[in-house]
Amino acid sequence: MSRVLIIGAGGVANVVAHKCAMNPDVFEDICIASRTVSKCEAIRKSIGETKAGITTAQLDADDTAQVIALIREFKPDIVINVALPYQDLSIMDACLETETDYLDTANYEPPEVPKFEYKWQWAYREKFRDAGITAVLGCGFDPGVTGVFSAYALKHYFDEIHSIDIVDANGGDHGYPFATNFNPEINIREITAKGRYFKDGKWIETEPLEIKQTYDFDKIGPKNIYLLYHEELESLADNIPGIKQIRFWMTFSDNYINHLTVLQNVGMTSIEPVEFKGMKIEPLQFLKAVLPDPASLGPRTKGKTNIGCIFKGIKDGKEKTYYIYNICDHQEAYAEVGSQAISYTTGVPAVTGAMMVLKGLWKKPGVYNVEEFDPDPFLDELAKQGLPWIEDHDPVLPEGM
Ligand code: NDP
């Protein structure tokens, strides 16, 4: 039985805390720590009766000394970091100092420049190895399960994978004219950045949302998908031997794109601070403050998500195409843990990854992306925790895919 420190108290942390509490045989004691302690308290209250012990703590995770002090006091076996990407390095430093295992769901981001690169966290590989502790990076859905799907496809169905298309559809409707399904700042930074994909050992850059396709998703129907850069492309390009092409596609409605275009045109998505009434204000952070809180979308969102990977490659000398995906229902997720499917599909894999480390199945001193571990026990556990997978060995693909 283990002790887990959850950092953050947003939509994803809510799912992580609920799921840990539902598995008291693994997570005996839970501490939820975040900048705003009242949000940790609200999560604790919403969990209600559980055999697990739950405490809360106020924590500024940008301050490594505070994280070290809390780890020394609570003595967790693992830290699940579901705060924001800006806190990854300060929390990793605290885990090193206290020799505690670490897991997160998004790569470190320097606050001033959106980069979506693993280099800062990969620089900790030797230090974690020498300290005998494990860091699991990017263990949400994408990044996360998409990497596990890739390891699973390679292990069971391919001798060589030549291309991966990650397709992420959100068929949910929250009834607002415009809102983002997870942290608006991170979401908008991701979408307004240039697109990029990996081809023949090179990175090809596109204008933001320049490449568009239509894809007919199981249980959702046809949707426009746009090529984006996404952080798992970097680690998969390194970790899938012989890979020639990796692309990431996400659905956006015309309405979403129209709102985003206007916001961009008027400068509201910029992260360059502007002077306003004697204060420096970052327009994107201000926009986040006026948009609906993603955590509030839960009760309103209807519909499903469908996220998966399409692989092409060779098995026994023959060309093969294989598609593996998960479908998650927003309202079912909300009924179970009080968060919509975007938070659910991120939080459940994080808890599953933590279980893998705690059970010794993914315990490997160093810093790793999820595709570097055995996918089988993870996927079995993920299905038990609410996210089963579906396989299609002969998917119908749009032209050019
Ligand atoms: P939210 O914005 O809802 O929650 C973030 C939480 O982190 C808030 O409670 C916030 O506190 C807290 N926080 C921010 N700064 C600090 C700090 N310095 N110290 C302590 N706590 C802090 O985000 P989500 O729950 O939607 O997302 C959580 C993480 O999951 C993000 O990193 C996001 O990028 C990632 N993610 C990953 C996905 C995947 O599939 N891999 C998909 C979706 C999200 P406060 O309440 O005070 O603001």
Side-chain angles (χ1 to χ4, degrees), residues 147-325:
V148 180
F149 281 164
S150 302
Y152 182 79
L154 189 61
K155 182 173 175 183
H156 297 286
Y157 298 121
F158 289 94
D159 297 324
E160 272 173 43
I161 293 179
H162 293 161
S163 76
I164 307 176
D165 280 293
I166 300 168
V167 273
D168 177 331
N170 180 12
D173 181 6
H174 44 61
Y176 284 119
F178 183 77
T180 62
N181 289 296
F182 66 98
N183 185 282
E185 203 187 321
I186 306 293
N187 190 203
I188 292 174
R189 277 170 75 147
E190 203 170 73
I191 297 161
T192 53
K194 292 212 173 188
R196 208 173 351 141
Y197 64 102
F198 181 79
K199 191 167 176 63
D200 299 327
K202 293 197 190 85
W203 291 98
I204 317 264
E205 200 169 81
T206 72
E207 288 307 308
L209 309 185
E210 182 190 337
I211 302 184
K212 178 181 169 184
Q213 273 276 12
T214 302
Y215 191 71
D216 194 356
F217 288 92
D218 186 15
K219 303 286 184 295
I220 289 182
K223 288 263 172 199
N224 288 335
I225 51 174
Y226 294 84
L227 187 143
L228 303 183
Y229 180 70
H230 223 240
E231 64 200 56
E232 66 263 51
L233 303 194
E234 185 186 14
S235 71
L236 289 171
D238 262 16
N239 291 327
I240 304 296
I243 190 80
K244 294 183 169 66
Q245 178 171 285
I246 320 180
R247 297 179 296 193
F248 182 95
W249 306 85
M250 194 178 260
T251 59
F252 298 108
S253 67
D254 290 345
N255 175 55
Y256 188 93
I257 305 262
N258 286 342
H259 275 82
L260 197 65
T261 308
V262 173
L263 290 168
Q264 236 178 324
N265 287 345
V266 298
M268 280 307 295
T269 60
S270 166
I271 58 171
E272 281 301 313
V274 292
E275 230 13 81
F276 180 74
K277 293 195 175 171
M279 279 186 294
K280 287 254 183 218
I281 294 182
E282 200 180 289
L284 182 54
Q285 276 192 3
F286 178 74
L287 176 62
K288 178 187 176 214
V290 296
L291 285 175
D293 177 358
S296 73
L297 302 178
R300 309 170 53 105
T301 308
K302 298 190 174 89
K304 296 180 196 307
T305 59
N306 176 330
I307 316 171
C309 303
I310 300 160
F311 301 95
K312 285 186 182 171
I314 302 281
K315 179 72 178 172
D316 299 330
K318 284 195 201 116
E319 286 190 2
K320 180 174 171 68
T321 304
Y322 167 69
Y323 179 28
I324 176 168
Y325 58 98

Side-chain angles (χ1 to χ4, degrees), residues 7-13 34-36 39 59-62 82-85 87 105-106 140-143 182-183 186 288 342 346:
I7 303 185
V12 177
S34 191
R35 187 166 54 187
T36 314
K39 291 194 186 172
L59 175 72
D60 178 357
D62 287 322
V82 278
L84 294 178
Q87 281 81 51
T105 64
F141 208 101
D142 42 345
F182 66 98
N183 185 282
I186 306 293
K288 178 187 176 214
I342 305 293
T346 309

